[in-house]
Amino acid sequence: MHANGPNASSPRSTAAADYQAIPRPIAVVRKPLAADARTDLHHHIRAQLLYATAGLMSASAEDGAWVVPEGHALWIPARLPHTTVTHGPVALCTAYLDRDAVATFPETCRVIAVSPLLSAALVALAEEPVLYAEDGRGGHLAALVLDEIGRAPATPLTLPLPRDPRLRRVCLGIIADPASEDDLDAWADRAGASRRTLTRGFRAETGLSFGDWRARARVIRALALTAEGRPPRAVAAAVGYRSAQALRLTVARVLGPAGARQALV
């Protein structure tokens, strides 16, 4: 590690491997990421909180896909294989959390809204020595970060993926072509399943109806395209809407009016 003690003067390492075995419950690292920065499928020994202080990134794993816009963070359980990609430049604040410290936290990924208090605590902890005093400011900040993550509300910026291969084929097809106008019957034929099987399967495995799942997939893709600088009309067309206003209405339905105002300008 480039800087691993209270009096270290060299720049702090940004390598994830340097923070997996430190004797502290949390380690926080800040770094900028260029547009279209990607990671291959990988996992960490520790749990991870990916916080986008600016910009937007997305992540995917076997059981879902997530979009992480500015002011949000992705909770990733320990040892979960995942990939990430940035959509435009991103200012990233990553927390690596000891498994014992988060034993009661969710065992699946979720995107959370980051409160001003959590944001400030993460940034402040990143400025503390890696081996901060556990009975001092660093220890108090770490405890606050854990408490705020545990309290943070989950958001609809999660796209759960089913395990049934027929349903999964449909989902991956929609992700690949969110503008497709195929209806439920057409997708059922393509998947080799009945409409009833598809309808029941979506509810059972994702908690969403087919229509709601597709709307969420379109919104998530629209957020990524918007972050890449695409104009509103082009974004709307790319995800299957005839106008930017029609897309905004769907975003408002999926994320709520406040989320829509923040997500698309």
Side-chain angles (χ1 to χ4, degrees), residues 95-154:
Y96 298 101
L97 304 99
D98 183 78
R99 296 178 73 178
D100 290 339
V102 296
T104 61
F105 282 33
E107 296 182 359
T108 57
C109 288
R110 63 172 182 163
V111 177
I112 63 172
V114 175
S115 68
L117 182 57
L118 176 55
S119 177
L122 285 167
V123 170
L125 188 55
E127 296 171 353
E128 289 288 306
V130 175
L131 297 181
Y132 51 80
E134 293 187 88
D135 60 351
R137 182 173 185 262
H140 298 319
L141 287 169
L144 181 58
V145 166
L146 287 170
D147 188 57
E148 284 297 296
I149 294 174
R151 292 171 176 265

Side-chain angles (χ1 to χ4, degrees), residues 3-59:
N4 61 2
N7 299 315
S9 58
S10 56
R12 178 176 294 193
S13 170
T14 58
D18 287 342
Y19 299 95
Q20 303 306 306
I22 63 167
R24 295 294 184 272
I26 305 176
V28 181
V29 184
R30 300 180 70 188
K31 63 179 179 181
L33 297 175
D36 201 35
R38 298 171 181 266
T39 63
D40 294 328
L41 190 67
H42 69 288
H43 71 272
H44 304 292
I45 296 172
R46 287 189 162 206
Q48 186 178 15
L49 188 76
L50 286 178
Y51 170 35
T53 60
L56 180 143
M57 64 190 307
S58 60

